[in-house]
Amino acid sequence: RAKRDGRNAYRFFTSEMQAQSARALLLENALRRALERGQLSLHYQPQFSLDADGESRVVGAEALLRWHHPELGWVSPAEFIPIAESSGLILPIGEWVLVEALSQLRRWDDAGLPELSMAVNLSAVQFRHDDLPQLVERVLGELGMPAERLELELTEGAAMDNPAVAITVMNELHARGVRLSIDDFGTGYSSLSYLKKFRVSKLKIDQSFVRDLTDDAEDRAIVDAVIRMAGALGLQTLAEGVETEGQLAFLRRQGCLAVQGYLFSRPLPAEAFVEFVRAGALATV
Ligand code: C2E
Ligand code: MG
Ligand code: MG
Ligand code: MG
């Protein structure tokens, strides 16, 4: 019996795996044409600074990639980004994201929004690519956008993959005035000794630590430790995935000065983002 169950389980698993790789192949082929067919877009999630007097203010946006396929519908970045990375498509797509996000920032400036920063996610593949600092410099130059307005988000994995290369690339970006932050901080294998060698200005505390903040004493200890360590190293912290007043209250108390999350706003299409900022949404929180 056990053997039979085992075999059935194995068969089931195999066909599931086959279905998965068939979907991956389908997505890869569709993704190859997504850019030229105008299926990719960016949504923007507001990022807030927390002031001492308990106010919050939009200070920037994180650009988040969206893909709508006519037959497949919306495909999640969690599903298509890994495919874009393994196929190399992330290079042209990532360049498009950078250009589109900074062009949007230019349009917001022209429309009279306050001076915001734009955070753009970078894949490890882009980070390892020789041209990155030159590409960033060229795009900023073409759009006449000061480098200080751009913040590049990098995961620990991308930085730790090859720390020596990471340090060189970070120095080159830093020399051009671009800021770097570590995304999903705490979920990768962090070598703390590298944190002081990496030219980063911000740690984004991963939402997995924020989620249960009000019930889980260990998560509170971790978040508290990250905020203190960052402070001691002269780094800023931003907490991701803030969904409740309770989480926000804890983060404020511990001295976290920046947040983003559904409590404030979901990622928004560009026009809705403008309305959100204009409405002075700080009044709600
Ligand atoms: P990330 O950079 O850590 O982005 C945060 C993710 O959390 C986003 O998911 C965002 O929509 C979601 N989020 C924001 N606030 C909340 C909240 O309060 N609660 C919950 N549950 N979730 C929240 P999204 O847009 O699906 O993106 C997933 C990941 O895909 C991103 O994680 C990033 O790693 C990657 N990604 C997205 N856009 C790009 C891109 O342009 N380039 C690259 N290389 N990666 C991207
Ligand atoms: Mg990010
Ligand atoms: Mg993150
Ligand atoms: Mg993430």
Side-chain angles (χ1 to χ4, degrees):
R1 255 207 72 102
K3 203 175 171 188
R4 212 180 124 200
D5 278 357
R7 197 176 308 141
N8 285 346
Y10 179 73
R11 278 208 191 115
F12 171 73
F13 195 51
T14 307
S15 64
E16 189 176 285
M17 280 173 17
Q18 273 169 356
Q20 269 177 19
S21 62
R23 165 123 174 133
L25 214 63
L26 177 77
L27 289 181
E28 185 181 325
N29 284 324
L31 196 55
R32 253 173 230 294
R33 282 173 197 88
L35 204 51
E36 65 198 48
R37 294 190 176 166
Q39 295 166 3
L40 299 181
S41 63
L42 294 178
H43 281 189
Y44 300 90
Q45 188 174 37
Q47 298 182 322
F48 293 77
S49 76
L50 302 176
D51 304 336
D53 55 7
E55 298 264 314
S56 56
R57 195 161 51 87
V58 183
V59 290
E62 177 176 3
L64 293 158
L65 194 52
R66 297 292 178 257
W67 179 21
H68 189 267
H69 185 275
E71 279 107 48
L72 301 166
W74 291 100
V75 185
S76 158
E79 189 176 20
F80 75 79
I81 295 281
I83 293 169
E85 289 178 329
S86 63
S87 60
L89 288 168
I90 195 68
L91 289 173
I93 291 175
E95 179 169 345
W96 178 83
V97 170
L98 187 68
V99 172
E100 180 60 24
L102 289 172
S103 304
Q104 189 55 254
L105 192 58
R106 154 74 43 228
R107 291 192 285 273
W108 287 340
D109 279 2
D110 294 345
L113 285 201
E115 260 197 24
L116 303 171
S117 64
M118 181 63 76
V120 173
N121 291 283
L122 275 190
S123 136
V125 178
Q126 292 170 276
F127 193 64
R128 260 188 261 116
H129 197 73
D130 299 339
D131 282 351
L132 181 69
Q134 289 76 13
L135 170 70
V136 170
E137 182 175 14
R138 180 169 59 75
V139 174
L140 286 166
E142 283 171 6
L143 292 165
M145 189 56 74
E148 295 70 31
R149 305 280 298 280
L150 176 64
E151 194 174 296
L152 295 174
E153 298 192 1
L154 196 69
T155 59
E156 286 170 274
M160 291 304 300
D161 188 37
N162 185 336
V165 170
I167 289 169
T168 307
V169 178
M170 286 178 182
N171 286 341
E172 285 187 34
L173 289 166
H174 180 82
R176 289 166 170 82
V178 175
R179 283 164 304 133
L180 281 161
S181 49
I182 302 278
D183 204 353
D184 304 344
F185 185 74
T187 60
Y189 61 111
S190 7
S191 171
L192 295 181
S193 66
Y194 274 110
L195 264 190
K196 64 174 185 185
K197 300 197 185 112
F198 286 159
R199 290 272 197 173
V200 298
S201 53
K202 187 182 289 174
L203 304 181
K204 295 190 75 178
I205 303 172
D206 191 65
Q207 53 190 61
S208 61
F209 302 110
V210 174
R211 192 169 304 132
D212 300 321
L213 218 43
T214 43
D215 316 309
D216 190 326
E218 285 172 352
D219 284 341
R220 279 200 294 278
I222 290 169
V223 168
D224 181 46
V226 171
I227 294 169
R228 282 165 192 257
M229 178 189 66
L233 292 172
L235 304 175
Q236 296 171 283
T237 45
L238 178 147
E240 296 191 87
V242 178
E243 295 184 355
T244 70
E245 295 284 355
Q247 293 162 348
L248 179 63
F250 176 82
L251 290 161
R252 268 190 202 284
R253 255 195 328 273
Q254 302 317 121
C256 182
L257 296 179
V259 286
Q260 71 188 90
Y262 294 169
L263 176 63
F264 298 85
S265 172
R266 293 185 174 253
L268 302 168
E271 317 77 57
F273 183 94
V274 170
E275 283 168 32
F276 182 87
V277 174
R278 289 223 170 106
L282 54 101
T284 56
V285 181

